[in-house]
């Protein structure tokens, strides 16, 4: 058994003045694990935000290389979390060990990728317009712009990724990379995991000489609201439900000083199965799709929750195959009791709707999630029925049959914003349905071809975002290196002598970064 | 007299079904000009937003070069607006002809600069991660990201820049550049000007074959609220008061689908006069500063509204010189009666405050603005008195004396967000006060040395933005080419064949743009 204190992480110290206790649960059995977590008091929430604010001027002014070394040290510490840690995460989440091992590598890899971004230096967005003293009618002063971290960031971990979207996950990594200290609100579903990871982050911070308060973590219910309303917090990262995310957005917008919230919330991730693909490989697609729907018990933001096809014999055959495949899927344990309750509720709503037919799946009962397949009338999409627009988090998906390609276009136009949209198509389909792509581009952050959206690659070009309600701000992504830009803002210097400027903007270009100089990209030193 | 209809611009047509009429006024005399403007009906506001939405899929998919040609055509049409136009703008705003001629050039120059950005292509933010089919444990698919326009944008023009921040101003230029159709709400202070400029935009749209609805304009009171709440509008640009901007932000945040608002609002633009500079050239600084405060009747967002110095004989002498210079400034006509009313109210509030001393300026009365100089006790800054944090729009400024450099730091820390912060300093000051720069960087979007903030250069490196309440979102700028990024969002393609991809992402790099390919910046074609 690991030794955990259950205390909050505040400015490099552990504090637990509160009296409200939370227990971590074994996700499979529901039994309490032998760890107790003490809810942060309002004073401790304030202290955590203040600690982050105190660290901000120091941390943001460290060189990007120093911040990169911190992220790399976090990565090393996370990689070093051993088998007992993996076993603990598995107990708290009911996720299999192989998945947790993979997620551990993804989490440390993410830290190292952001370290690479810091060393590459393009996040500085350095732009230089040199003085034109002889310009008529007025001279132009020397102006130089770069990007700085916005300030302390509050991060809310996700239930479904105890590592990659939690304590040291993508939001934390991108905020720390941007030069923003973090106050992390631990998810109630994996508090013991959070403590182990927070310890890893603190060890890395100490090894690399980071200021106390660069990373803080609080436990408890209701503390997130205090955090988002705290004047020292200047941005928020969140992954979770539409209801929870929207509540945070509303709080943030109502503050005396409103702040941006990047909430990744609800997406049904439509998969459009086109005629050529159905003809060529409908049976295979049905099997692959079923596998994607039930993978990880369907507990992914990008789980395919809607499958759309044009009426035909091939589509009917495909749906029958999908029903067979879904019917054969075993029940799985979900992340926690609340998730199972929501899933059962969502399934019951679908079953009770007059325009929805149940195609496959055992009765939803007991303490596991039963995979389900439904078919909904296209009118529900066309009329904007919320049941088809809000994700049912778990191993279920809904088939919608459209009459023809015109109705397909209308159905897609009726959809709300999505994280992903997928075409299953042959070359001939791409030609015949070429007008779909610009439409999907407007609806989603990521558009896939002949793949399934559940794998989200961590790389420079990934977009894990999209129009509302997929996220609260389509201009951000919470996976991939572009995520750093959510927490940066531009500043410019006018008429300053070279030696006073930030290194990124100095004539000699000591960082060797690419800059936009008088409208031209260059790595050259300036005379 | 120019021939104006006073009708709304909706989808390439002129409509005026309403019955509410507005008159444009001569700003100097208060007399009604012989033009009547018909307030848009709720149906017309809806039609304008729908027209923009209908244009969006067409307009955003035009090549960047086509959009550049449109912006350049607008620039040509604006340059061609003649002396009768300039005379009209002068009548509506009481601004002098030379200023309007300069602003006309600034406005067309701005359009041409965004055209250059479109031709340069870095706004695409193209990123490519090529497939790694042999990667273990999982292959990496091909993923390619670029930026697209967010959708129709509502733009609210500013009272104080009838051209450069209005109908075809910076917000409109950056939205159109991003591929976003615009619905412009004409400012009540210069509706005739707005009509002439809208005609120029429409002529350019027709000449370059743009879709109808790419640019729309509505007149009237209360129509802006309908616009911001319209589901087809996906972002807002605004320049104006804190009260007005915040109201729009609150409306936008409360929508079923919240949208971003980029509001440029309130800034007092502190100028810090350091000891070495006072010693070397205090008298000159006093004269220059007075000139900056009264320039254009102080009607600039970046007008220096607060002057801070450390107690000394030189500072007292400087303040006396500033009082002399301010006292010698003539009264000026403001943009409109409402602006004068606000100014008089602001001046009266300052005069009535127990901790504020009036140093110079004639009694504020009559129909012109009298320049004023005040001195406020530093405790007002330290205690966060709102009177020192909110701009008094007009030719006035407030001196604050601090005891020493520690109190200077505290005073600056107490300040809210600013568009600009300025140091008047000698080299020795920059060494002695080196800790001020990181502090100013956190408070403002632009940090100046030995200049005055009222000139805002339109270039790649300009930041006309800053933390709240200077703007509603410090991550944006409303001047300079970075402004385009407010209206763009990322999308990525996964696993698509080359010929289906947007040109910006194709292997051959047909646009010849710089891209981030497998983590390296390159203009190369890919094999």
């Amino acid at each position: 058994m690991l030794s955990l204190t259950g205390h909050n992480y505040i400015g490099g110290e552990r504090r637990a003045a509160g009296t409200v206790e939370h227990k971590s649960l074994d996700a499979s059995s529901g039994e309490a694990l032998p760890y107790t977590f003490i809810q942060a008091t309002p004073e401790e929430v304030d202290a955590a935000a203040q600690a982050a604010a105190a660290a901000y001027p120091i941390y943001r002014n460290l060189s990007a290389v120093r911040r990169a070394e911190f992220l790399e040290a976090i990565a090393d510490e996370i990689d070093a979390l051993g088998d007992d840690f993996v076993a603990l995460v598995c107990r708290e989440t009911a996720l299999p060990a192989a998945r947790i091992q993979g997620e551990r590598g993804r989490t440390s890899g993410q830290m190292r990728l952001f370290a690479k971004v810091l060393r590459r230096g393009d996040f500085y967005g350095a732009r230089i317009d040199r003085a034109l003293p002889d310009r008529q009618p007025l001279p132009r002063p020397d102006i130089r712009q770069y990007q700085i971290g916005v300030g302390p960031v509050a991060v809310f971990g996700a239930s479904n990724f105890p590592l990659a979207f939690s304590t040291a996950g993508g939001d934390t990594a991108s905020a720390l990379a941007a030069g923003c200290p973090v106050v992390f609100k631990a998810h109630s579903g994996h508090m013991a995991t959070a403590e182990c990871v927070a310890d890893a982050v603190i060890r890395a911070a100490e090894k690399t000489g980071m200021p106390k308060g660069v990373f803080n973590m609080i436990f408890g219910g209701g503390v997130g609201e205090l955090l988002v309303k705290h004047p020292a917090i200047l941005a928020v990262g969140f992954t979770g439900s539409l209801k929870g995310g929207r509540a945070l957005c509303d709080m943030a917008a109502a503050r005396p000083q409103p702040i941006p919230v990047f909430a990744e919330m609800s997406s049904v991730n439509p998969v459009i199965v086109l005629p050529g693909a159905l003809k060529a490989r409908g049976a295979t697609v049905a099997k692959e799709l079923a596998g994607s729907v039930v993978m990880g018990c369907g507990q992914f933001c990008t789980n395919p929750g809607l499958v759309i096809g044009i009426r035909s014999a091939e589509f009917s055959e495909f749906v029958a195959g999908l029903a067979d495949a879904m019917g054969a899927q075993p029940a799985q344990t979900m992340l926690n009791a609340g998730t199972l309750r929501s899933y059962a509720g969502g399934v019951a709503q679908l079953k009770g709707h007059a325009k929805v037919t149940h195609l496959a799946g055992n009765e939803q009962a007991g303490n596991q999630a039963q995979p389900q397949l439904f078919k909904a009338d296209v009118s529900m999409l066309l009329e904007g029925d919320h049941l088809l627009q809000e994700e049912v988090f778990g191993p279920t998906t809904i088939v919608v049959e459209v009459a023809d390609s015109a109705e397909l276009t209308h159905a897609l136009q009726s959809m709300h914003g999505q994280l992903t949209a997928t075409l299953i198509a042959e070359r001939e389909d791409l030609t015949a349905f070429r007008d779909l792509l610009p439409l999907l581009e407007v609806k989603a952050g990521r558009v896939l071809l002949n793949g399934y959206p559940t794998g989200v690659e961590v790389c420079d070009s990934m977009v894990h975002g999209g129009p509302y309600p997929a996220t609260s701000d389509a201009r951000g992504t919470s996976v991939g290196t572009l995520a750093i830009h959510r927490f940066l803002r531009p500043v410019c210097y006018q008429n300053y002598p070279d030696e006073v400027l930030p290194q990124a903007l100095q004539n000699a270009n000591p960082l060797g970064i690419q800059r936009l100089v008088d409208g031209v990209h260059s790595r050259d030193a300036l005379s």
Side-chain angles (χ1 to χ4, degrees), chain A residues 324-360:
Chain A
D324 285 350
M326 287 297 295
Q329 303 294 335
Q332 293 178 66
T333 302
M334 297 199 87
L335 289 158
N336 54 59
T339 306
L340 179 64
R341 233 177 358 255
S342 292
Y343 179 68
V347 166
Q349 267 202 301
L350 286 168
K351 277 199 170 170
H353 197 290
K355 289 185 172 175
V356 177
T357 317
H358 185 238
L359 295 187

Side-chain angles (χ1 to χ4, degrees), chain A residues 78-140:
Chain A
I78 288 173
D79 281 342
L81 293 170
D83 290 347
D84 48 354
F85 168 73
V86 172
L88 174 68
V89 186
C90 294
R91 286 201 72 185
E92 277 194 306
T93 62
L95 294 169
R99 150 76 191 269
I100 296 304
Q101 283 153 356
E103 199 178 320
R104 180 178 55 191
R106 178 191 171 100
T107 307
S108 58
Q110 199 159 246
M111 284 285 171
R112 291 194 182 96
L113 186 61
F114 278 106
K116 212 186 256 180
V117 169
L118 289 175
R119 294 180 191 280
R120 195 168 65 209
D122 51 342
F123 77 96
Y124 282 119
R127 296 173 160 218
I128 296 174
D129 288 299
R130 287 181 285 186
L132 299 173
D134 302 325
R135 190 182 64 173
Q136 292 301 330
L138 285 171
R140 180 172 83 178

Side-chain angles (χ1 to χ4, degrees), chain A residues 271-283:
Chain A
V271 174
I272 300 120
V273 194
L274 291 174
L278 283 177
K279 217 164 266 176
R281 51 196 165 89

